Amino acid sequence: MKPISFMRHRFPADVIRHAVWLYFRCSLSFRDVEELLAQRGIDVSYETIRCWTIKFGPLIARRLKRRRQAPSPRWHLDEMVCWIGGKRLYLWRAIDDEGEVLDLVVQPRRDTEAALRLLRRLLHNQPVEPQTITTDGLASYGAALDVLDLRHLHRPGRLRENNRAENSHLPIRRRERQQQGFKSQASAQRFLTTYSAIYNTFNIQRHLISRPTLRRFRAEADAAWSAAVA
């Protein structure tokens, strides 16, 4: 991968990288990141930080995705309601059985066409073929899988069977509250796609592993980040 160019930016590349990392890795607003940098003697406005995240965030996310190993073939799909720009929209998401976010798409409807769009994105972008596709009881999933001739992989169930996907919404709900809601469908799609790629890199499920393993996983995540932003 070619190095990321930080030419024509007044601030050093390390400052830009750290600001982008703070915003996407932690539940912080642009003003929070501005305060943290100011405490370290770096005088930069929150609007400049916003521009950095828009310019470099999606690029870093794509580079992180290319470095990830293939996900599990056992997929969980679910949708959640979001109020974006005063409109009721639906965030359709797919994760694997280990909690890695596979893909997401913000759509205005909760129907078969919307489910079909998510599934087609998954089949086109993922390096593995699904073995099982677990969903809630929404009939749109079954209809979309019928169109794709994948009904034999469908595992419809209630909340308990798809609890992995339901719990994966919680980090997004925290960011949604921190940002006081998303402002538009396009900005929500851009932010959540970038956020998910960075979340996958640093989501090491620390409550399930020992302290030495945690330190090793953290070092691997930091190394992946350093390679992606170089």
Side-chain angles (χ1 to χ4, degrees), residues 6 14 22 52 54 87 97-98 102-103 108 117 123 127-128 150 155 163 171 185 187 190-191 197 199 209 224 228 230:
F6 295 93
D14 286 342
L22 282 173
W52 290 346
I54 292 174
K87 298 180 180 179
D97 62 344
E98 296 179 352
L102 303 176
D103 208 341
R117 182 181 178 194
L123 295 172
V128 295
L150 296 176
R155 302 292 185 271
N163 197 44
Q185 182 175 345
S187 64
R190 181 181 62 246
F191 168 80
Y199 174 84
I209 57 179

Side-chain angles (χ1 to χ4, degrees), residues 205-217:
Q205 301 186 19
R206 56 185 299 171
H207 62 291
L208 299 176
I209 57 179
S210 65
R211 194 69 187 180
T213 304
L214 174 62
R215 288 195 292 269
R216 179 167 63 86
F217 283 178

Side-chain angles (χ1 to χ4, degrees), residues 92-111:
W92 294 72
R93 300 175 67 246
I95 66 168
D96 66 9
D97 62 344
E98 296 179 352
E100 175 143 341
V101 182
L102 303 176
D103 208 341
L104 59 89
V105 59
V106 181
Q107 305 191 77
R109 297 183 181 276
R110 188 170 177 258
D111 56 11

Side-chain angles (χ1 to χ4, degrees), residues 49-164:
I49 297 170
R50 185 185 72 84
C51 293
W52 290 346
T53 61
I54 292 174
K55 180 176 180 179
F56 295 107
L59 175 59
I60 294 171
R62 289 194 297 270
R63 292 161 70 97
L64 286 172
K65 285 180 180 179
R66 286 199 291 267
R67 297 181 60 86
R68 295 290 292 177
Q69 296 180 353
S72 166
R74 294 175 291 277
W75 299 351
H76 294 251
L77 278 58
D78 195 36
E79 72 289 340
M80 58 184 284
V81 177
C82 293
W83 288 94
I84 301 176
K87 298 180 180 179
R88 181 186 179 98
L89 299 177
Y90 298 92
L91 174 60
W92 294 72
R93 300 175 67 246
I95 66 168
D96 66 9
D97 62 344
E98 296 179 352
E100 175 143 341
V101 182
L102 303 176
D103 208 341
L104 59 89
V105 59
V106 181
Q107 305 191 77
R109 297 183 181 276
R110 188 170 177 258
D111 56 11
T112 302
E113 184 179 350
L116 196 57
R117 182 181 178 194
L118 175 63
L119 285 164
R120 282 174 171 158
R121 283 171 61 101
L122 284 168
L123 295 172
H124 181 265
N125 296 327
Q126 296 305 314
V128 295
E129 295 291 330
Q131 291 181 358
T132 62
I133 300 176
T134 304
T135 70
D136 57 18
L138 183 66
S140 298
Y141 290 114
L145 289 168
D146 283 337
V147 174
L148 299 171
D149 293 327
L150 296 176
R151 189 59 177 262
H152 60 286
L153 304 179
H154 193 202
R155 302 292 185 271
R158 298 182 182 275
L159 177 63
R160 189 170 185 177
E161 287 79 5
N162 206 30
N163 197 44
R164 170 71 74 179

Side-chain angles (χ1 to χ4, degrees), residues 151-200:
R151 189 59 177 262
H152 60 286
L153 304 179
H154 193 202
R155 302 292 185 271
R158 298 182 182 275
L159 177 63
R160 189 170 185 177
E161 287 79 5
N162 206 30
N163 197 44
R164 170 71 74 179
E166 296 286 349
N167 288 338
S168 75
H169 296 324
L170 297 179
I172 290 180
R173 288 299 189 197
R174 286 196 294 269
R175 292 309 301 255
E176 185 182 31
R177 289 193 297 270
Q178 177 67 34
Q179 297 178 203
Q180 298 180 4
F182 302 113
K183 303 304 183 289
S184 69
Q185 182 175 345
S187 64
Q189 180 75 44
R190 181 181 62 246
F191 168 80
L192 293 172
T193 301
T194 304
Y195 171 77
S196 296
I198 297 173
Y199 174 84
N200 287 341

